[in-house]
Amino acid sequence: MAKDSTKQRDIENGNAAQVLEEGIQHVNNPVLDLPEIVKNYLGAVTGYHQEDNNFYFTDGSACVEIKVVSDEIIRVRLAPKGQFLDDFSYAVPQSDQHVAVYNFEEDQQVYRVKTNTVTCIVRKADFLISFEDREGKEYNRDYAPMHWEENPDFGGYYVYCTKAAVAEEAFYGLGDKPTHLNLRGKRFVNWNSDTYSFQFNQDPLYRSIPFYIGLNDGNAYGIFFDNTFKTYFDFAAEAHDQTSFWSEGGELQYYYIHGPHMMDVVKRYHSITGTHYLPPLWALGYHQCRWSYYPESKVKDLARNFRERKIPCDAIYLDIDYMDGYRCFTWNKRYFPDPKKMIKELADDGFNTVVIIDPGIKVDENYWVFRDGKKNRYFCRRGDDYFMEGYVWPGRCQFPDFTNKEVREWWGGLFKELVDAGIAGVWNDMNEPAVFGRGTFPNDVRHNFDGYRGSHRKAHNIYGMQMVRATYEGLKKLFQKKRPFTITRAAYAGTQRYASVWTGDNVATWEHLRLGALQLQRLSVSGMPFCGTDIGGFSGEPDGELFTRWIQFGVFSPFMRAHSAGDTAEREPWSFGPEYETLNRKFIELRYKLLPYIYSVFWEHTKYGFPILRPITMVEQHLDSNIQREEEFCFGDKILVSPVLNPGQHRKTVYLPKGGWYYYWNDKRFEGGKEHEVDTPLDEMPIFIKAGTVLPEYPVMQYVNERKIEALKLLVYHADRVTNSYLYEDHGDTFAYEQHIYLEKKFVVKGGATSLKISQSVDGLYSEKYDAYELSLVGLPFEVKNVLVDDASGTVERDGDGRFRIKVPKDFKSIAIS
Ligand code: MIG
């Protein structure tokens, strides 16, 4: 044990007084001035003891804690000098006490901590740790014992973990790294960075999600390295047989998350870091954004255009120009003389107003937010106690310390006027944090870190997360029963509890459209389900074809928003001429038809932690990682899409996972387990519906809840087997679902060569507003002669597409068709 434990902890947290910023003390070449660095490795295990779910192993001075978190999750921590750091995490809200059954064994060579699913093995001779399933199949093992170096920058440690990489092992996750899905052969760093016009393979970007999934021989596991300092990951890049991760400070602390299914790894990752709350239904509609729509007349014009042209839209964004001199929580009264009235008029026309907010607060004694923050010492201070100052849009700024609970509460309350004015959501930008010129804060800035004080080294990667947390919690309080909508640019693991994300300042190129498809899939398996790209590309000019293809991809992006930089040409769905306008309308309408399905998929995320987008490797994880397949993915488990990502592309090869699939545009049936070629004219993109699906479809509306639905359409895609489909419904904008005020409907379809049975069971306390379903039967291999609805005979018609159509009461129990 360290003698002076508080001091030791302070140093390891990066609090030492001698912590100096690059800008203050100029060392000519710090790298060359460093003394020879010695890596310390764990030695042989000399003993252990147990406390509750925790096992402590020591080599005589260092200590390793193995904690059984659940049947499938084991946490490992290293204390180089025997002193663990504070057990506090922004990613994992409470050390959840799942009840886990486990036992402990020891023999000559090893210790074994065994749950019902996984065995964690600690080898006595060299302290190597490995994980096996109950059958003794190894999933993951240390290549070298955990190790560390003194960190001469601030007296803590660099901490390292080196794992064996198996020859065929593939790696996924790590947030929105803009590269191929399989991370093997690459090295990455996590340090939230404002990266305008980022490029393929650029690293780091705006977010830090130190969680990856290893997939070997069809078996998956996850590693979540919960460390907020600058972290690094090397996936068999430096050495083909090793994968390592390390950090410039803090604790070596990681969770091993067992599979073997990738879906389960992601679900279990969410079981510790939380899921995204169910967003308001309107937030799943189409959003229109630009830097910036102002003044009011322009916003009104925009709204009028959407309605006159009959292009559905649910949200309009106000970028920084709505503010008075970029002062947060103020209005530019010249541009927006009566915000409340404008927002009300927009709302009456079905538009939600979302406003941007930045962390930089203008240094201005006549500005109440600054005065308040200054008086209460809410702004971040430097190592020498001066305020952290930097230039951003408003000019000279100071920045709230969102890692302080009191500051978060204050910040949350500042939204009162905006909420009173009627805003429906808040867009959190620049929260990496971004500062003009110097990029971000210097390392010596101090943070409260919810009582576990630390410098910016420790707080940098969670600063944005705590900002959007403050925003979300504030809005939630102010809205009372209504669900807020929030979006953030910066994030750390766990941010999904507070916000959706967009991938930042992308570019209007085909390469960026492809990158977006990869980034959103990667975010989805990394625990950030509600994600989107700037449709059309933030900077640069898309042509009509690129914009339309991007809108098509946007239909299957969990978050669907078009956005563009201020110096670009107009960028609305009608900006590229009538031909493209028609196409864009068609696809935005498709998004609105699919809303009940999209919402149900979101519910599965909120409730169980399943991702919304699912890469093909996740659906069929025995497939090797073939980069030809990385651009297609499943949206929920019933829809597969393969967005068109090249100009002039009129045909595309699509791989379909095993089972039957129907082409959405013509009901043609395809057999899965192989590749198919399909035509991709500009007015189509490859969309396939899994055989056996009951797909709910809304009538096209110009915005969510525009009018009452008379009968909900259910498309039933025939399969020669028994299948389940789910439909989730609720108020769409309240938290009543937390009190069971929702409906979860399960449809079981039993398809055969001459008959089809559909049964429905319902759970929950909500009542839907429509009275009936209109079934539309797709791919039926027989002519319908008899229809029995709960033993009474029903009637059948043929619709324009040649499908059989049957209207049934919404509370039917079973339908027999033959
Ligand atoms: O320095 O608010 O990524 O979406 O339009 C640029 C203006 C600040 C960056 C965001 C972008 C937003 C822009 N912001």
Side-chain angles (χ1 to χ4, degrees), residues 236-398:
E238 191 178 297
H240 71 280
D241 56 350
Q242 294 164 40
T243 281
S244 23
F245 47 92
W246 65 98
S247 173
E248 294 192 351
E251 192 168 73
L252 179 48
Q253 164 178 152
Y254 70 89
Y255 293 81
Y256 167 82
I257 304 172
H258 195 68
H261 297 292
M262 277 171 84
M263 281 283 274
D264 288 329
V265 175
V266 175
K267 175 177 135 182
R268 288 165 188 159
Y269 168 78
H270 280 296
S271 79
I272 52 175
T273 61
T275 60
H276 195 290
Y277 61 97
L278 205 54
L281 186 54
W282 66 261
L284 297 177
Y286 175 72
H287 299 213
Q288 184 66 42
C289 186
R290 180 162 171 81
W291 181 13
S292 299
Y293 290 122
Y294 73 92
E296 173 173 332
S297 56
K298 182 113 184 204
V299 178
K300 290 295 213 29
D301 259 12
L302 179 75
R304 193 174 324 111
N305 259 296
F306 271 103
R307 297 302 179 238
E308 278 175 13
R309 295 168 188 270
K310 296 225 166 306
I311 297 176
C313 180
D314 262 282
I316 291 179
Y317 284 60
L318 301 180
D319 205 326
I320 46 178
D321 300 288
Y322 79 88
M323 302 177 200
D324 172 19
Y326 307 120
R327 289 171 188 82
C328 293
F329 310 103
T330 67
W331 288 91
N332 180 320
K333 285 291 170 81
R334 202 154 54 85
Y335 298 150
F336 297 98
D338 192 347
K340 192 168 182 166
K341 181 161 161 276
M342 176 188 78
I343 294 173
K344 167 87 169 49
E345 284 163 6
L346 287 171
D348 290 344
D349 204 9
F351 293 99
N352 291 281
T353 303
V354 179
V355 296
I356 198 168
I357 213 80
D358 284 356
I361 298 299
K362 188 177 178 70
V363 174
D364 171 2
E365 293 294 343
N366 298 318
Y367 167 40
W368 55 285
V369 179
F370 177 73
R371 272 203 319 267
D372 252 34
K374 182 179 170 191
K375 188 181 78 213
N376 296 307
R377 299 174 73 79
Y378 287 158
F379 297 121
C380 291
R381 273 169 290 146
R382 303 285 302 267
D384 55 8
D385 213 32
Y386 280 88
F387 284 101
M388 158 63 210
E389 292 200 343
Y391 283 81
V392 217
W393 290 106
R396 198 176 135 209
C397 285
Q398 295 189 8

Side-chain angles (χ1 to χ4, degrees), residues 194 196 206 289-292 319-321 356 358 392-393 427 429-430 432 434 436 489 502-506 534 538 561 563-566:
D194 179 3
Y196 170 82
Y206 306 88
C289 186
R290 180 162 171 81
W291 181 13
S292 299
D319 205 326
I320 46 178
D321 300 288
I356 198 168
D358 284 356
V392 217
W393 290 106
W427 171 23
D429 191 19
M430 304 288 276
E432 292 71 31
F436 291 165
R489 196 168 72 174
W502 91 105
T503 56
D505 297 341
N506 60 358
D534 282 353
F538 180 68
R561 182 185 76 162
H563 182 40
S564 50

Side-chain angles (χ1 to χ4, degrees), residues 549 552-553 556 628-634 639-645 649 652-656 678 680 684-688:
R549 290 300 193 191
Q552 293 175 352
F553 167 58
F556 298 97
Q628 296 307 314
R629 280 169 194 156
E630 68 179 9
E631 58 189 49
E632 50 178 270
F633 52 86
C634 286
I639 300 184
L640 179 140
V641 290
S642 184
V644 177
L645 307 175
Q649 185 172 353
K652 186 162 190 188
T653 304
V654 180
Y655 172 81
L656 296 177
V678 290
T680 54
E684 281 183 18
M685 75 182 281
I687 303 172
F688 294 87

Side-chain angles (χ1 to χ4, degrees), residues 650-670:
H650 293 297
R651 265 181 103 61
K652 186 162 190 188
T653 304
V654 180
Y655 172 81
L656 296 177
K658 289 213 179 65
W661 295 86
Y662 289 87
Y663 197 55
Y664 181 76
W665 304 105
N666 60 12
D667 292 352
K668 194 175 154 202
R669 200 189 146 107
F670 289 82

